[in-house]
Amino acid sequence: MLKVAVGHSNDPDASAAIDEVIEQCIQSLAGQVPQAGILFTAIDFDHPLILERIQDVFPGIDVIGGTTDGEISSVLNYQQDSVTLMVFCSDRVEIHAGLGRGVSKDPIAATQQAVQDAQRQSQSLTKLCLTIPESLTTSGVRILDGLKQALGHNTLIVGGTAGDQQRMQHTYQFFRGEVLSDSVPVLLFSGDVLFSFGMAGGWKTIGTQGIATKVDRNILYEIDGKPALEFYLHYLGAPPSDEYPLAVYEPSGQKYFMRAPSGYDEETGSISFFTDIPEKAQVQMLEASREELVSASQTSFRQALESYPGQEPSAAVLISCAARRHLLGTRTEGEYQTIKTNLAKNLPCCGFYSYGELAPLEPKSETYFHNETFVTLLLGVQ
């Protein structure tokens, strides 16, 4: 058994909002006691109060989460300035939380600490890691690298980095009753858990490929030995923007992940991106229409549904990118609406808009850090 409940409120008052969310969860749980949960909230809420109220009603619950650029649920669809909570109950799936602090100082040590904290509570091997880490104080790629080292090759890693409604000032992560920054909370699943994922962007390549010949982490200086800015100007006739992200091909050259530009320097000809780009990687420009962006969420959900190993999933976790929300504007709600037609009746869904998404490019492959992507995670039990 895996029982999942979701609550969602857009009441601007934190106390009223979390009371409404908790009441919705209690009604769905029908007397069962949740062991873990994920919480997504807008940046301006009273987060300590919200977490305290959750712990008061569900003592000892292993909650992780973070602040967002928008919230999604099967209760209120897409919202901004809201609070949504998904809680899990199971007698066959172990779900435990762990936390790593000071991730900008030592991503490897912080991620190892988070994984070890969660695993020492578990009686079985970890199969799935869900994480909502820091996004502004350090590279999401380095956080992911640390998680890969700590978890090994047999654990699926899925998640998204915390946001702050594109203020780019300060994000918060949640762990049990704590509100933190510069941290990496994880929720590890083991036992009889079943899961699948899907990811899609809706983007298509334009122009020819080039080689990132000079890179310093997230700053791309040269493509094919020439200033990176020239590459953009050649194809666009305009400077970089999140409407034209960069495809970065993985080593085989068959699949790519995306990087969203965050700025550029005319003097050096360099382009800054939201996270790291591997040196010598093949790169290519991307573009998409609003219709293609919206339909990508349906593609992502369909991929997850088609590869789900059980009969029916118990829940869906949905993670989209803040840049997608910015580009879609008033059409953002369409991302969730397009997948509702594929949803089983009353399937609990919960998610958020992040500053970076974590998911593999295809089944049974390693996880990459993405920008401007829609990720679906389906959960269930054997």
Side-chain angles (χ1 to χ4, degrees):
M1 176 273 294
L2 177 62
K3 177 69 174 179
V4 181
V6 174
H8 196 172
S9 174
N10 56 11
D11 194 307
D13 179 76
S15 180
I18 192 56
D19 284 350
E20 182 180 2
V21 165
I22 290 172
E23 181 58 32
Q24 291 169 358
C25 289
I26 289 174
Q27 289 183 8
S28 296
L29 290 171
Q32 297 187 59
V33 179
Q35 66 209 70
I38 49 175
L39 172 71
F40 303 119
T41 80
I43 189 70
D44 291 325
F45 278 104
D46 185 340
H47 305 116
L49 182 151
I50 289 172
L51 290 171
E52 180 181 8
R53 197 68 57 84
I54 293 171
Q55 291 293 328
D56 285 345
V57 177
F58 306 123
I61 187 173
D62 264 356
V63 170
I64 71 162
T67 51
T68 72
D69 194 56
E71 304 79 43
I72 312 168
S73 85
S74 48
V75 177
L76 291 181
N77 302 332
Y78 161 70
Q79 296 287 323
Q80 286 187 279
D81 300 315
S82 69
V83 178
T84 184
L85 173 69
M86 172 177 276
V87 294
F88 307 95
C89 308
S90 182
D91 55 356
R92 296 168 56 191
V93 178
E94 287 191 72
I95 312 172
H96 298 290
L99 177 72
R101 305 172 191 267
V103 70
S104 63
K105 296 178 182 177
D106 192 337
I108 301 299
T111 49
Q112 285 181 341
Q113 185 63 58
V115 170
Q116 289 172 0
D117 281 354
Q119 286 184 335
R120 70 167 55 101
Q121 306 168 64
S122 179
Q123 303 298 314
S124 50
L125 293 176
T126 302
K127 295 181 179 179
L128 168 69
C129 171
L130 179 62
T131 183
I132 319 294
E134 174 63 75
S135 58
L136 300 180
T137 63
T138 191
S139 161
V141 170
R142 277 170 274 168
I143 294 174
L144 177 57
D145 287 345
L147 288 172
K148 287 179 179 179
Q149 288 187 36
L151 290 163
H153 298 296
N154 295 322
T155 300
L156 174 65
I157 303 170
V158 176
T161 57
D164 67 346
Q165 294 183 328
Q166 297 197 14
R167 300 172 193 179
M168 299 299 171
Q169 297 174 348
H170 205 83
T171 72
Y172 297 108
Q173 300 84 55
F174 310 138
F175 175 73
R176 294 176 183 157
E178 293 186 75
V179 179
L180 309 109
S181 289
D182 197 32
S183 72
V184 50
V186 300
L187 206 59
L188 302 188
F189 294 73
S190 59
D192 293 334
V193 63
L194 294 179
F195 51 84
S196 63
F197 74 92
M199 59 149 289
W203 304 90
K204 59 184 178 182
T205 57
I206 57 174
T208 59
Q209 294 183 8
I211 303 295
T213 46
K214 185 179 180 182
V215 183
D216 182 10
R217 295 184 177 179
N218 69 313
I219 301 175
L220 179 57
Y221 287 95
E222 294 180 1
I223 299 176
D224 293 335
K226 299 178 181 179
L229 191 56
E230 288 186 12
F231 191 78
Y232 263 78
L233 293 174
H234 174 73
Y235 288 109
L236 303 180
S241 72
D242 53 12
E243 292 187 68
Y244 299 95
L246 194 67
V248 181
Y249 287 84
E250 45 82 38
S252 75
Q254 300 300 309
K255 299 278 188 176
Y256 62 80
F257 48 94
M258 289 185 288
R259 293 290 180 262
S262 59
Y264 61 93
D265 187 324
E266 291 184 346
E267 185 174 337
T268 64
S270 64
I271 303 173
S272 299
F273 291 83
F274 280 102
T275 195
D276 304 357
I277 294 175
E279 195 165 24
K280 305 301 181 183
Q282 292 179 306
V283 297
Q284 195 170 7
M285 298 288 303
L286 294 164
E287 67 175 357
S289 67
R290 300 298 184 271
E291 289 75 17
E292 290 167 326
L293 289 178
V294 169
S295 65
S297 61
Q298 188 178 42
T299 302
S300 170
F301 189 87
R302 189 185 307 117
Q303 287 177 358
L305 200 59
E306 289 174 353
S307 61
Y308 182 71
Q311 292 186 346
E312 289 186 6
S314 301
V317 179
L318 309 173
I319 304 169
S320 189
C321 184
R324 296 175 67 85
R325 191 196 66 75
H326 172 71
L327 291 171
L328 288 170
T330 56
R331 296 192 62 183
T332 301
E333 187 174 359
E335 285 204 300
Y336 181 73
Q337 294 297 335
T338 58
I339 68 174
K340 284 185 73 172
T341 56
N342 290 323
L343 290 175
K345 185 178 180 181
N346 299 324
L347 180 71
C349 299
C350 187
F352 76 115
Y353 283 79
S354 74
Y355 284 173
E357 303 77 56
L358 286 75
L361 291 167
E362 57 187 355
K364 298 182 181 179
S365 64
E366 66 175 305
T367 294
Y368 282 89
F369 189 95
H370 308 267
N371 293 130
E372 306 202 41
T373 300
F374 192 101
V375 174
T376 301
L377 172 67
L378 296 180
L379 295 167
V381 68
Q382 293 180 13

